[in-house]
Amino acid sequence: MAEARATEGDKRERILQAAIRVFAKKGFYATKVSEIAKAASVADGTIYLYFQNKEAILVSVFDDRMKALLALLERISSSQRTSEEKVQRIMELQLGLLEEERDLAEVVTVNLRQSSTFLKQYAAPLFRRYLELMADVVAAGQRDGSFRKDLNPRVVARSLFGGLDGIALTWALGAEPPEEPSPVLLRKAASQFSALFLAGLRAGAELGAEAK
């Protein structure tokens, strides 16, 4: 029985991985369920044993990856790292999950934007939780004196997410096949963004009175 459940789980994951590849290549709206089935090496009808429709596949792709991201972020938030190390780890986490996954990066940063229904009805709660966890890390850094206190933690969290999302998007779309985006370039961009972001966040970087 357990072996059967494992096999079913593997087939579901194979369908999701195939969907990521096809969505990235063709876009969400242009993709047909039959194309996902072909890429996953399953019959068309098998898709509907696991997913009601194409949007349900997209929801599952996002749900699986985002929940894994949230679980890791919660562990980072409650760890014994310094506040600055936690922010650094958040940056590495968000970009590290995408580093070796060009197709997944394109699904997360490009194709999700094509489904307004998805964004309004499903993605918002998970995104809010993600931003809340980021803001909590920033607020903790303000309390322990690591970060400047003249900034709203929620604004900082949105800025951090937006910057990382922009880096992932430009990296994913930065090269045309057969050339692949270089993970080295992504790491370099992440390092530069980290230095810039943390320099502005550290205590002592508050705006002078004449600039306010």
Side-chain angles (χ1 to χ4, degrees):
M1 180 69 70
E3 184 176 343
R5 285 197 297 269
T7 300
E8 291 301 303
D10 291 344
K11 188 174 291 186
R12 178 182 182 278
E13 179 61 23
R14 194 163 79 240
I15 293 170
L16 292 178
Q17 289 292 341
I20 289 172
R21 295 194 299 273
V22 180
F23 285 156
K25 182 178 180 180
K26 301 196 65 174
F28 174 73
Y29 285 114
T31 294
K32 298 178 181 178
V33 171
S34 60
E35 293 170 326
I36 296 174
K38 182 177 180 180
S41 300
V42 299
D44 291 6
T46 301
I47 299 288
Y48 296 103
L49 296 177
Y50 299 91
F51 307 100
Q52 183 176 2
N53 51 39
K54 184 174 65 174
E55 189 158 81
I57 299 175
L58 183 64
V59 166
S60 293
V61 167
F62 178 82
D63 184 70
D64 287 3
R65 276 63 184 175
M66 194 64 184
K67 285 183 176 177
L69 194 64
L70 287 172
L72 288 172
L73 187 53
E74 287 174 347
R75 289 202 290 271
I76 291 170
S77 179
S78 61
S79 72
Q80 297 302 310
R81 293 181 175 91
T82 66
S83 294
E84 189 164 317
E85 287 172 342
K86 289 178 182 180
V87 171
Q88 181 70 49
R89 184 59 182 142
I90 289 171
M91 295 180 187
E92 293 171 354
L93 176 62
Q94 185 168 329
L95 293 175
L97 288 179
L98 304 179
E99 185 172 290
E100 302 299 334
E101 298 281 0
R102 183 185 184 187
D103 290 346
L104 179 56
E106 290 184 358
V107 168
V108 172
T109 59
V110 180
N111 287 284
L112 291 184
R113 292 168 169 79
Q114 297 184 25
S115 177
S116 59
T117 300
F118 174 88
L119 290 173
K120 291 178 181 178
Q121 297 183 1
Y122 187 83
L126 289 175
F127 270 124
R128 280 197 296 270
R129 178 57 183 155
Y130 186 67
L131 293 174
E132 285 171 3
L133 286 168
M134 282 185 171
D136 288 346
V137 169
V138 173
Q142 291 174 325
R143 289 192 297 271
D144 67 28
S146 299
F147 300 148
R148 52 193 288 185
K149 298 180 179 180
D150 62 329
L151 299 175
N152 185 319
R154 291 184 177 85
V155 173
V156 175
R158 295 187 191 108
S159 300
L160 177 58
F161 177 84
L164 294 172
D165 188 53
I167 289 173
L169 174 61
T170 54
W171 175 78
L173 302 181
E176 294 295 331
E179 181 185 356
E180 293 293 325
S182 169
V184 174
L185 293 179
L186 179 61
R187 285 192 293 270
K188 183 177 180 180
S191 177
Q192 292 176 353
F193 176 76
S194 174
L196 178 65
F197 194 89
L198 287 171
L201 187 57
R202 290 188 185 105
E206 289 86 355
L207 292 173
E210 71 280 357
K212 292 182 179 178

